[in-house]
Amino acid sequence: MDYSREVEGKRVHDHFNKNMTTLARCVWVPCPVIIGAGPSGLATAACLKERGVPTLILERANCIASLWQLKTYDRLRLHLPKQFCELPLMPFPANFPTYPTKKQFVAYLESYKNHFGLDPVFNETVVSADFDRQCGFWRVKTQEETEYVSPWLIVATGENAEEVVPQIEGMDDFGGPIVHTSSYKSGRLFREKDVLVVGCGNSGMEVCLDLCNCNARPSLVVRDSVHVLPQEMLGRSTFGLSMWLLKWFPTRLVDRFLLLVSRFMLGDTEKFGLHRPKLGPLELKNRSGKTPVLDVGTLAKIKSGNIKVYPGIKRLTYRAAEFVNGRRENFDAIILATGYKSNVPQWLKETDLFSEKDGLPRKPFPNGWKGECGLYAIGFTKRGLLGASFDAKRIAEDIEHQWKADEPRNFMAFNRSAFM
């Protein structure tokens, strides 16, 4: 790294507890340190580089966009049209379809990285990051025994850093495979099997459809209410149409319109065990971050009886599930489509910007991108890639002003305080 100062085998003074800590190496990084090489981290690095600010990107996996490359199923496509998913400064190729495949999206991210000359440091797992108030810098320590010291820290690990695995009574007694969707690739492994999918978000719905197409016999657990909308309506994407309508009409009116058209196109989903929330889809998204399901064919399989719907699970027994309505059914495997969560509280020693409860910014979008002492957050808006792009631009603009004004002073200050 041509912008870093590396000190091998040094004892770096710990200003918090006055003890001396031995690290394999300490690296001074006068530019922002970005944790996470997913779309959010890449977008921020590209926006900063466009403004003349270099970055150091640390990534725990061995590739960019590890969630997409390593933990998604084969048939996955972007659920929103590509124009709402492109990163700043570089659109998708014109020959890509409206809803790019997983492979195409990863190829786009690789091209994005190469276009902007981004060079993440892979296999670097951050175990702690805290702000040293005496010297005025962030100290980022990794599992590989390296400490990076920088004036700026950008948290780009996102909302989907770790799997959410619910504890269901009797899981140890089930006797068959119980896997999270992060380990699910294709329904081919479950051919002719009875499979219970727990979770009715976009992933759960699409996994059920994939299982059907691979001649498995899927059932879906729908514990909570859920909005199911057609992916497209009136010849346009439902998301794009919603964004256009919101320019002219209030959210509640747009919600009424979406539900009216959905009822006409999909019928009454209540009949099939899919109960709608009291709040409309857009209002619910704004309040809780819960995303409506965009149907890509699953509802037709539910209507035809190819996918059965059950309420919440009461307990599991050997190769069977007992549901809260008293029914009991046999299953060969269980797939947990129960989502992901932030892992920020595990390693970031700061609680002003991020909540210790859920690892998300305390302030809702659009005000959760900036904290104190050079701390920033991206990828936590619950608004997908569009929200990440919005925050990437704001972060880059904010840091650019500091970079141009403070770089010489920051470097001299670190020399005096950290290596005395």
Side-chain angles (χ1 to χ4, degrees), residues 326-388:
R327 293 189 61 178
R328 182 184 183 278
E329 299 290 343
N330 296 328
F331 297 100
D332 299 301
I334 296 174
I335 297 173
L336 302 174
T338 45
Y340 296 83
K341 63 181 179 181
S342 166
N343 69 355
V344 172
Q346 299 176 19
W347 54 267
L348 182 63
K349 313 305 179 185
E350 185 276 347
T351 57
D352 291 332
L353 178 59
F354 287 91
S355 167
E356 294 175 283
K357 181 180 179 180
D358 58 11
L360 301 178
R362 294 182 183 277
K363 296 180 180 179
F365 180 84
N367 301 312
W369 61 279
K370 183 179 180 181
E372 300 294 329
C373 305
L375 179 63
Y376 298 88
I378 181 170
F380 300 90
T381 64
K382 295 188 177 181
R383 283 164 171 77
L385 296 167
L386 198 61

Side-chain angles (χ1 to χ4, degrees), residues 32 45-46 85 95 156 194 207 211 218 230-231 233 283 303 347 350 371:
C85 300
N95 62 342
D194 293 297
V207 165
L211 288 165
Q231 189 174 40
M233 56 175 63
E283 189 174 1
K303 290 179 179 180
W347 54 267
E350 185 276 347

Side-chain angles (χ1 to χ4, degrees), residues 13-55:
H13 193 269
D14 186 338
H15 294 289
F16 286 114
N17 57 25
K18 303 300 181 182
N19 292 327
M20 300 300 287
T21 309
T22 301
L23 296 169
R25 60 176 183 161
C26 178
V27 181
W28 160 241
V29 186
C31 63
V33 170
I34 299 174
I35 303 178
S40 296
L42 297 177
T44 309
C47 288
L48 282 165
K49 189 164 188 178
E50 190 74 5
R51 293 172 176 270
V53 183
T55 57

